[in-house]
Amino acid sequence: MTVPPRPSSSYVYGLDGPAVVVPARVAAVLAQKGLRNVRHALRGMDPEVDAVLEAILLAAEAWKRHRGLASDLGSERDTESAGQASSSLTATEVAGLLGITPRAVRLAITEGRLDGRQTAGGVWLVEPEAAELYRAARSNGGI
């Protein structure tokens, strides 16, 4: 069942000034898209910013653990054999998991809706975490 996205204003709360609630799945997407780099670049500038960015990353890690995914969202895999990371999934494998066609997977990658890459040999690869984030976003009506 697809849940329609909530309006942006529904994430804003606060009596002492506005505060934004970031759902853990959204935190995981932000972490995957480079939030660790942002946190590193801003570290030490403002203690509250440090604490909030750390909280978002903690929520991302908790979401991943809850979904049974590997920890450390921001890590890049350096170990590759035959041009393919050991845990990467092919477009065909991702398509089977998501119930869509391999062409739809490739299109989602090229449009930036799904993190993935094409190897020099032409094979399309997706990390399992990215596939899960995409699946969760689709089920929430976000993609």
Side-chain angles (χ1 to χ4, degrees):
M1 179 173 136
T2 301
V3 178
R6 294 171 48 186
S8 300
S9 60
S10 68
Y11 295 101
V12 179
Y13 298 91
L15 298 174
D16 297 328
V20 176
V21 175
V22 179
R25 185 189 66 79
V26 173
V29 170
L30 293 172
Q32 184 183 43
K33 295 291 187 178
L35 185 63
R36 290 183 194 287
N37 295 335
V38 172
R39 181 173 173 255
H40 180 71
L42 299 176
R43 187 173 292 151
M45 293 178 76
D46 182 323
E48 185 177 28
V49 170
D50 289 345
V52 170
L53 293 176
E54 178 64 20
I56 293 170
L57 291 170
L58 288 172
E61 291 295 328
W63 185 85
K64 282 191 70 175
R65 279 192 308 276
H66 176 73
R67 304 297 287 197
L69 300 171
S71 63
D72 191 20
L73 273 165
S75 69
E76 293 290 325
R77 286 179 174 72
D78 293 327
T79 57
E80 294 197 3
S81 61
Q84 176 176 332
S86 61
S87 64
S88 295
L89 303 170
T90 66
T92 302
E93 292 169 327
V94 173
L97 293 170
L98 299 175
I100 60 177
T101 66
R103 183 177 186 280
V105 171
R106 293 189 302 272
L107 183 62
I109 293 169
T110 59
E111 291 179 347
R113 295 179 287 123
L114 173 61
D115 279 348
R117 66 189 185 283
Q118 187 176 21
T119 67
V123 178
W124 291 85
L125 299 175
V126 176
E127 297 300 319
E129 310 72 65
E132 176 59 22
L133 287 170
Y134 185 78
R135 188 210 57 76
R138 287 183 73 221
S139 69
N140 287 332
I143 294 179

PDB file of all heavy atoms in Angstrom, residues 86-112:
ATOM      1  N   SER A  86      31.523  -6.783  -4.069  1.00  0.00           N
ATOM      2  CA  SER A  86      31.014  -8.099  -3.702  1.00  0.00           C
ATOM      3  C   SER A  86      29.543  -8.075  -3.286  1.00  0.00           C
ATOM      4  O   SER A  86      28.838  -9.042  -3.509  1.00  0.00           O
ATOM      5  CB  SER A  86      31.869  -8.695  -2.590  1.00  0.00           C
ATOM      6  OG  SER A  86      31.828  -7.864  -1.450  1.00  0.00           O
ATOM      7  N   SER A  87      29.073  -6.998  -2.696  1.00  0.00           N
ATOM      8  CA  SER A  87      27.687  -6.982  -2.249  1.00  0.00           C
ATOM      9  C   SER A  87      26.775  -6.229  -3.202  1.00  0.00           C
ATOM     10  O   SER A  87      25.585  -6.113  -2.938  1.00  0.00           O
ATOM     11  CB  SER A  87      27.610  -6.358  -0.860  1.00  0.00           C
ATOM     12  OG  SER A  87      28.009  -5.012  -0.923  1.00  0.00           O
ATOM     13  N   SER A  88      27.285  -5.691  -4.282  1.00  0.00           N
ATOM     14  CA  SER A  88      26.455  -4.954  -5.229  1.00  0.00           C
ATOM     15  C   SER A  88      25.476  -5.896  -5.926  1.00  0.00           C
ATOM     16  O   SER A  88      25.750  -7.072  -6.122  1.00  0.00           O
ATOM     17  CB  SER A  88      27.319  -4.272  -6.288  1.00  0.00           C
ATOM     18  OG  SER A  88      28.126  -3.290  -5.700  1.00  0.00           O
ATOM     19  N   LEU A  89      24.343  -5.339  -6.289  1.00  0.00           N
ATOM     20  CA  LEU A  89      23.318  -6.079  -7.013  1.00  0.00           C
ATOM     21  C   LEU A  89      23.275  -5.569  -8.450  1.00  0.00           C
ATOM     22  O   LEU A  89      23.479  -4.383  -8.702  1.00  0.00           O
ATOM     23  CB  LEU A  89      21.951  -5.856  -6.360  1.00  0.00           C
ATOM     24  CG  LEU A  89      21.824  -6.207  -4.885  1.00  0.00           C
ATOM     25  CD1 LEU A  89      20.498  -5.708  -4.337  1.00  0.00           C
ATOM     26  CD2 LEU A  89      21.970  -7.699  -4.679  1.00  0.00           C
ATOM     27  N   THR A  90      22.980  -6.449  -9.377  1.00  0.00           N
ATOM     28  CA  THR A  90      22.810  -6.026 -10.766  1.00  0.00           C
ATOM     29  C   THR A  90      21.427  -5.403 -10.934  1.00  0.00           C
ATOM     30  O   THR A  90      20.539  -5.584 -10.086  1.00  0.00           O
ATOM     31  CB  THR A  90      22.943  -7.217 -11.729  1.00  0.00           C
ATOM     32  OG1 THR A  90      21.857  -8.116 -11.497  1.00  0.00           O
ATOM     33  CG2 THR A  90      24.284  -7.921 -11.579  1.00  0.00           C
ATOM     34  N   ALA A  91      21.238  -4.695 -12.033  1.00  0.00           N
ATOM     35  CA  ALA A  91      19.931  -4.094 -12.320  1.00  0.00           C
ATOM     36  C   ALA A  91      18.846  -5.165 -12.379  1.00  0.00           C
ATOM     37  O   ALA A  91      17.723  -4.949 -11.909  1.00  0.00           O
ATOM     38  CB  ALA A  91      19.990  -3.305 -13.625  1.00  0.00           C
ATOM     39  N   THR A  92      19.175  -6.315 -12.908  1.00  0.00           N
ATOM     40  CA  THR A  92      18.204  -7.410 -12.989  1.00  0.00           C
ATOM     41  C   THR A  92      17.828  -7.910 -11.597  1.00  0.00           C
ATOM     42  O   THR A  92      16.643  -8.161 -11.309  1.00  0.00           O
ATOM     43  CB  THR A  92      18.771  -8.564 -13.843  1.00  0.00           C
ATOM     44  OG1 THR A  92      19.088  -8.049 -15.135  1.00  0.00           O
ATOM     45  CG2 THR A  92      17.780  -9.700 -13.969  1.00  0.00           C
ATOM     46  N   GLU A  93      18.821  -8.037 -10.715  1.00  0.00           N
ATOM     47  CA  GLU A  93      18.537  -8.478  -9.337  1.00  0.00           C
ATOM     48  C   GLU A  93      17.680  -7.454  -8.600  1.00  0.00           C
ATOM     49  O   GLU A  93      16.723  -7.812  -7.907  1.00  0.00           O
ATOM     50  CB  GLU A  93      19.848  -8.717  -8.581  1.00  0.00           C
ATOM     51  CG  GLU A  93      20.633  -9.903  -9.086  1.00  0.00           C
ATOM     52  CD  GLU A  93      22.034  -9.973  -8.513  1.00  0.00           C
ATOM     53  OE1 GLU A  93      22.655  -8.920  -8.258  1.00  0.00           O
ATOM     54  OE2 GLU A  93      22.514 -11.110  -8.327  1.00  0.00           O
ATOM     55  N   VAL A  94      18.015  -6.170  -8.757  1.00  0.00           N
ATOM     56  CA  VAL A  94      17.238  -5.109  -8.113  1.00  0.00           C
ATOM     57  C   VAL A  94      15.817  -5.105  -8.661  1.00  0.00           C
ATOM     58  O   VAL A  94      14.853  -4.972  -7.902  1.00  0.00           O
ATOM     59  CB  VAL A  94      17.919  -3.736  -8.311  1.00  0.00           C
ATOM     60  CG1 VAL A  94      17.034  -2.605  -7.800  1.00  0.00           C
ATOM     61  CG2 VAL A  94      19.270  -3.704  -7.612  1.00  0.00           C
ATOM     62  N   ALA A  95      15.683  -5.274  -9.966  1.00  0.00           N
ATOM     63  CA  ALA A  95      14.353  -5.312 -10.579  1.00  0.00           C
ATOM     64  C   ALA A  95      13.505  -6.420  -9.957  1.00  0.00           C
ATOM     65  O   ALA A  95      12.330  -6.213  -9.652  1.00  0.00           O
ATOM     66  CB  ALA A  95      14.481  -5.516 -12.083  1.00  0.00           C
ATOM     67  N   GLY A  96      14.104  -7.592  -9.755  1.00  0.00           N
ATOM     68  CA  GLY A  96      13.381  -8.696  -9.141  1.00  0.00           C
ATOM     69  C   GLY A  96      12.947  -8.387  -7.720  1.00  0.00           C
ATOM     70  O   GLY A  96      11.827  -8.736  -7.311  1.00  0.00           O
ATOM     71  N   LEU A  97      13.818  -7.717  -6.968  1.00  0.00           N
ATOM     72  CA  LEU A  97      13.481  -7.352  -5.587  1.00  0.00           C
ATOM     73  C   LEU A  97      12.374  -6.308  -5.515  1.00  0.00           C
ATOM     74  O   LEU A  97      11.558  -6.316  -4.596  1.00  0.00           O
ATOM     75  CB  LEU A  97      14.723  -6.818  -4.868  1.00  0.00           C
ATOM     76  CG  LEU A  97      15.846  -7.815  -4.614  1.00  0.00           C
ATOM     77  CD1 LEU A  97      17.090  -7.087  -4.117  1.00  0.00           C
ATOM     78  CD2 LEU A  97      15.400  -8.857  -3.607  1.00  0.00           C
ATOM     79  N   LEU A  98      12.377  -5.397  -6.485  1.00  0.00           N
ATOM     80  CA  LEU A  98      11.430  -4.282  -6.457  1.00  0.00           C
ATOM     81  C   LEU A  98      10.147  -4.543  -7.240  1.00  0.00           C
ATOM     82  O   LEU A  98       9.203  -3.767  -7.156  1.00  0.00           O
ATOM     83  CB  LEU A  98      12.101  -3.013  -7.004  1.00  0.00           C
ATOM     84  CG  LEU A  98      13.328  -2.511  -6.244  1.00  0.00           C
ATOM     85  CD1 LEU A  98      13.949  -1.323  -6.971  1.00  0.00           C
ATOM     86  CD2 LEU A  98      12.959  -2.142  -4.817  1.00  0.00           C
ATOM     87  N   GLY A  99      10.144  -5.613  -8.032  1.00  0.00           N
ATOM     88  CA  GLY A  99       8.968  -5.901  -8.838  1.00  0.00           C
ATOM     89  C   GLY A  99       8.820  -4.954 -10.022  1.00  0.00           C
ATOM     90  O   GLY A  99       7.696  -4.613 -10.410  1.00  0.00           O
ATOM     91  N   ILE A 100       9.951  -4.501 -10.561  1.00  0.00           N
ATOM     92  CA  ILE A 100       9.946  -3.632 -11.737  1.00  0.00           C
ATOM     93  C   ILE A 100      10.889  -4.239 -12.777  1.00  0.00           C
ATOM     94  O   ILE A 100      11.534  -5.255 -12.521  1.00  0.00           O
ATOM     95  CB  ILE A 100      10.362  -2.183 -11.387  1.00  0.00           C
ATOM     96  CG1 ILE A 100      11.780  -2.133 -10.784  1.00  0.00           C
ATOM     97  CG2 ILE A 100       9.356  -1.557 -10.435  1.00  0.00           C
ATOM     98  CD1 ILE A 100      12.285  -0.728 -10.474  1.00  0.00           C
ATOM     99  N   THR A 101      10.987  -3.628 -13.920  1.00  0.00           N
ATOM    100  CA  THR A 101      11.853  -4.156 -14.979  1.00  0.00           C
ATOM    101  C   THR A 101      13.290  -3.652 -14.807  1.00  0.00           C
ATOM    102  O   THR A 101      13.508  -2.608 -14.189  1.00  0.00           O
ATOM    103  CB  THR A 101      11.350  -3.720 -16.374  1.00  0.00           C
ATOM    104  OG1 THR A 101      11.485  -2.297 -16.482  1.00  0.00           O
ATOM    105  CG2 THR A 101       9.914  -4.145 -16.599  1.00  0.00           C
ATOM    106  N   PRO A 102      14.257  -4.379 -15.344  1.00  0.00           N
ATOM    107  CA  PRO A 102      15.635  -3.888 -15.323  1.00  0.00           C
ATOM    108  C   PRO A 102      15.767  -2.524 -16.008  1.00  0.00           C
ATOM    109  O   PRO A 102      16.547  -1.681 -15.575  1.00  0.00           O
ATOM    110  CB  PRO A 102      16.419  -4.966 -16.077  1.00  0.00           C
ATOM    111  CG  PRO A 102      15.623  -6.217 -15.870  1.00  0.00           C
ATOM    112  CD  PRO A 102      14.191  -5.761 -15.880  1.00  0.00           C
ATOM    113  N   ARG A 103      14.979  -2.306 -17.056  1.00  0.00           N
ATOM    114  CA  ARG A 103      15.019  -0.998 -17.729  1.00  0.00           C
ATOM    115  C   ARG A 103      14.573   0.105 -16.778  1.00  0.00           C
ATOM    116  O   ARG A 103      15.137   1.194 -16.754  1.00  0.00           O
ATOM    117  CB  ARG A 103      14.129  -1.010 -18.972  1.00  0.00           C
ATOM    118  CG  ARG A 103      14.176   0.291 -19.745  1.00  0.00           C
ATOM    119  CD  ARG A 103      13.317   0.208 -21.029  1.00  0.00           C
ATOM    120  NE  ARG A 103      13.453   1.385 -21.836  1.00  0.00           N
ATOM    121  CZ  ARG A 103      12.822   2.544 -21.619  1.00  0.00           C
ATOM    122  NH1 ARG A 103      12.008   2.657 -20.594  1.00  0.00           N
ATOM    123  NH2 ARG A 103      13.011   3.572 -22.419  1.00  0.00           N
ATOM    124  N   ALA A 104      13.541  -0.155 -15.966  1.00  0.00           N
ATOM    125  CA  ALA A 104      13.072   0.836 -14.990  1.00  0.00           C
ATOM    126  C   ALA A 104      14.159   1.124 -13.951  1.00  0.00           C
ATOM    127  O   ALA A 104      14.303   2.262 -13.489  1.00  0.00           O
ATOM    128  CB  ALA A 104      11.790   0.355 -14.322  1.00  0.00           C
ATOM    129  N   VAL A 105      14.910   0.102 -13.577  1.00  0.00           N
ATOM    130  CA  VAL A 105      16.021   0.294 -12.634  1.00  0.00           C
ATOM    131  C   VAL A 105      17.075   1.201 -13.265  1.00  0.00           C
ATOM    132  O   VAL A 105      17.535   2.172 -12.645  1.00  0.00           O
ATOM    133  CB  VAL A 105      16.653  -1.059 -12.219  1.00  0.00           C
ATOM    134  CG1 VAL A 105      17.929  -0.847 -11.416  1.00  0.00           C
ATOM    135  CG2 VAL A 105      15.645  -1.889 -11.430  1.00  0.00           C
ATOM    136  N   ARG A 106      17.465   0.903 -14.503  1.00  0.00           N
ATOM    137  CA  ARG A 106      18.472   1.727 -15.184  1.00  0.00           C
ATOM    138  C   ARG A 106      17.993   3.167 -15.336  1.00  0.00           C
ATOM    139  O   ARG A 106      18.758   4.115 -15.132  1.00  0.00           O
ATOM    140  CB  ARG A 106      18.818   1.118 -16.546  1.00  0.00           C
ATOM    141  CG  ARG A 106      19.541  -0.216 -16.441  1.00  0.00           C
ATOM    142  CD  ARG A 106      20.060  -0.696 -17.788  1.00  0.00           C
ATOM    143  NE  ARG A 106      19.029  -0.855 -18.800  1.00  0.00           N
ATOM    144  CZ  ARG A 106      18.327  -1.964 -18.995  1.00  0.00           C
ATOM    145  NH1 ARG A 106      18.545  -3.034 -18.243  1.00  0.00           N
ATOM    146  NH2 ARG A 106      17.415  -2.024 -19.956  1.00  0.00           N
ATOM    147  N   LEU A 107      16.728   3.343 -15.662  1.00  0.00           N
ATOM    148  CA  LEU A 107      16.158   4.679 -15.803  1.00  0.00           C
ATOM    149  C   LEU A 107      16.193   5.422 -14.461  1.00  0.00           C
ATOM    150  O   LEU A 107      16.555   6.604 -14.409  1.00  0.00           O
ATOM    151  CB  LEU A 107      14.729   4.596 -16.331  1.00  0.00           C
ATOM    152  CG  LEU A 107      14.028   5.921 -16.608  1.00  0.00           C
ATOM    153  CD1 LEU A 107      14.765   6.705 -17.689  1.00  0.00           C
ATOM    154  CD2 LEU A 107      12.587   5.678 -17.017  1.00  0.00           C
ATOM    155  N   ALA A 108      15.832   4.737 -13.379  1.00  0.00           N
ATOM    156  CA  ALA A 108      15.865   5.362 -12.059  1.00  0.00           C
ATOM    157  C   ALA A 108      17.283   5.799 -11.700  1.00  0.00           C
ATOM    158  O   ALA A 108      17.482   6.855 -11.085  1.00  0.00           O
ATOM    159  CB  ALA A 108      15.309   4.399 -11.006  1.00  0.00           C
ATOM    160  N   ILE A 109      18.272   5.001 -12.081  1.00  0.00           N
ATOM    161  CA  ILE A 109      19.672   5.359 -11.820  1.00  0.00           C
ATOM    162  C   ILE A 109      20.057   6.594 -12.632  1.00  0.00           C
ATOM    163  O   ILE A 109      20.603   7.559 -12.094  1.00  0.00           O
ATOM    164  CB  ILE A 109      20.614   4.177 -12.120  1.00  0.00           C
ATOM    165  CG1 ILE A 109      20.374   3.031 -11.132  1.00  0.00           C
ATOM    166  CG2 ILE A 109      22.082   4.637 -12.064  1.00  0.00           C
ATOM    167  CD1 ILE A 109      21.056   1.729 -11.508  1.00  0.00           C
ATOM    168  N   THR A 110      19.761   6.573 -13.932  1.00  0.00           N
ATOM    169  CA  THR A 110      20.171   7.699 -14.779  1.00  0.00           C
ATOM    170  C   THR A 110      19.439   8.987 -14.425  1.00  0.00           C
ATOM    171  O   THR A 110      19.985  10.072 -14.599  1.00  0.00           O
ATOM    172  CB  THR A 110      19.965   7.394 -16.280  1.00  0.00           C
ATOM    173  OG1 THR A 110      18.594   7.106 -16.517  1.00  0.00           O
ATOM    174  CG2 THR A 110      20.833   6.234 -16.728  1.00  0.00           C
ATOM    175  N   GLU A 111      18.228   8.886 -13.889  1.00  0.00           N
ATOM    176  CA  GLU A 111      17.474  10.073 -13.468  1.00  0.00           C
ATOM    177  C   GLU A 111      17.830  10.513 -12.052  1.00  0.00           C
ATOM    178  O   GLU A 111      17.307  11.512 -11.569  1.00  0.00           O
ATOM    179  CB  GLU A 111      15.972   9.806 -13.565  1.00  0.00           C
ATOM    180  CG  GLU A 111      15.473   9.683 -14.989  1.00  0.00           C
ATOM    181  CD  GLU A 111      13.989   9.406 -15.075  1.00  0.00           C
ATOM    182  OE1 GLU A 111      13.356   9.062 -14.041  1.00  0.00           O
ATOM    183  OE2 GLU A 111      13.445   9.524 -16.192  1.00  0.00           O
ATOM    184  N   GLY A 112      18.706   9.767 -11.362  1.00  0.00           N
ATOM    185  CA  GLY A 112      19.130  10.157 -10.020  1.00  0.00           C
ATOM    186  C   GLY A 112      18.159   9.787  -8.913  1.00  0.00           C
ATOM    187  O   GLY A 112      18.318  10.222  -7.779  1.00  0.00           O
TER     188      GLY A 112
END
